[in-house]
């Protein structure tokens, strides 16, 4: 099977590596400036979409326009994309190419509304505590958990992780059982920061934020609880070995 990935490398790399290990062919389609990071991660990089800033509608249209013929030329059997900024373009391109999609959700999965649409699978890479409903059996058919990562190992002497509230930073810290101090940069990061603070595993940055975490053992207990949730999520290899589209 040939799987064409579209979206954020940090969200999709674990699943892509598992597909390759299971014997599937994998490539990432994206703007030319993303090729270096993709190739450094060991994947084939194909060009699709704009390499300049543009309005979201224009960006999506350009990606969709490039993706459909590219997928046919490369011989893709399925398009795998995340729910980030390139999701709309990936969906449109797959639809134009007549291809099924697999969605990797780095945001909370909303309550089901009659199924995941054209997607043959909808994989949630946030832990159960961050979901609207933690029980996949209450989601529409095709939804399942997928363990996120791998993430860059955190230094063993780092008691508290301090940084932005982007998905890779937050999930990497929680996968290591480390509470976080976050500075959200946009609405998506603010939403994730809300989930972390609601779970009691971190706080927003501010005067004395780090010391506040260090003085309260409950933050560390909650971070370890989330690490256990993440460890219990099915590994990417579980999905890759049973993949059929």
């Amino acid at each position: 099977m040939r799987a064409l990935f579209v979206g954020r490398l940090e969200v999709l790399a674990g699943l892509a590596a598992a597909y390759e290990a299971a014997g599937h062919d994998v490539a990432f389609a994206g703007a030319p400036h993303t090729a270096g990071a993709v190739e450094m991660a060991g994947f084939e990089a194909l060009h699709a979409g704009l390499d300049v800033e543009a309005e979201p509608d224009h960006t999506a249209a350009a990606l969709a326009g490039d993706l459909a013929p590219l997928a046919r030329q490369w011989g893709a059997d399925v398009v795998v994309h995340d729910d980030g900024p390139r999701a709309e373009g990936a969906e449109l391109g797959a639809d134009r190419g007549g291809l099924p999609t697999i969605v990797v959700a780095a945001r909370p999965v909303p309550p089901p509304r009659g199924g995941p649409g054209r997607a043959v699978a909808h994989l949630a890479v946030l832990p159960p505590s961050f979901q609207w409903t933690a029980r996949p059996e209450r989601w529409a058919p095709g939804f399942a958990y997928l363990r996120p990562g791998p993430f860059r190992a955190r230094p063993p002497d780092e008691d508290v992780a301090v940084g932005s509230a982007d998905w890779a930073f937050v999930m990497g810290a929680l996968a290591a059982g480390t509470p976080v101090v976050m500075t959200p940069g946009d609405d998506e990061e603010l939403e994730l920061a809300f989930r972390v603070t609601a779970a009691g595993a971190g706080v927003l940055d501010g005067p004395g934020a780090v010391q506040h975490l260090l003085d309260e053992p409950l933050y560390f207990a909650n971070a370890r609880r989330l690490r256990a949730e993440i460890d219990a999520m099915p590994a990417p290899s579980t999905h890759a070995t049973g993949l059929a589209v």
Side-chain angles (χ1 to χ4, degrees):
M1 190 208 70
R2 294 172 72 81
L4 186 58
F5 283 71
V6 183
R8 293 166 290 181
L9 183 63
E10 63 270 23
V11 176
L12 299 172
L15 187 61
Y19 279 10
E20 285 195 334
H24 303 299
D25 294 324
V26 166
F28 275 76
H33 75 270
T34 66
V38 169
E39 292 170 348
M40 284 287 290
F43 303 111
E44 180 181 2
L46 305 174
H47 294 171
L50 299 175
D51 209 18
V52 296
E53 291 291 332
E55 292 295 325
D57 288 348
H58 295 163
T59 300
L63 176 57
D66 289 346
L67 190 63
L70 177 65
R72 286 194 297 269
Q73 180 182 359
W74 187 71
D77 298 301
V78 63
V79 172
V80 184
H81 67 86
D82 66 359
D83 56 352
R86 290 179 286 280
E88 183 179 0
E91 290 174 359
L92 288 171
D95 187 62
R96 291 177 184 176
L99 292 172
T101 60
I102 295 171
V103 182
V104 180
R107 291 181 173 183
V109 176
R113 295 182 180 179
R118 290 182 52 85
V120 296
H122 199 136
L123 308 174
V125 290
L126 288 180
S129 290
F130 286 13
Q131 302 294 344
W132 293 104
T133 174
R135 298 170 60 184
E137 65 269 23
R138 294 186 176 178
W139 299 349
F143 286 89
Y145 284 115
L146 180 73
R147 187 187 307 155
F151 298 104
R152 184 174 57 186
R154 308 208 75 80
D157 58 347
E158 187 178 59
D159 295 325
V160 173
V162 181
S164 66
D166 72 88
W167 185 85
F169 166 75
V170 170
M171 295 306 298
L174 296 180
T178 306
V180 291
V181 173
M182 302 161 289
T183 306
D186 55 32
D187 289 344
E188 184 175 353
E189 293 185 2
L190 188 61
E191 180 181 19
L192 181 56
F194 169 78
R195 300 284 168 185
V196 175
T197 56
V203 296
L204 297 181
D205 196 11
V210 172
Q211 192 60 47
H212 175 67
L213 292 190
L214 293 173
D215 291 343
E216 179 48 72
L218 188 59
Y219 288 107
F220 292 86
N222 286 329
R224 290 192 296 269
R225 172 178 57 80
L226 290 170
R227 178 181 62 187
E229 286 189 17
I230 293 169
D231 288 344
M233 295 166 73
S237 58
T238 303
H239 179 73
T241 55
L243 182 65
V245 297

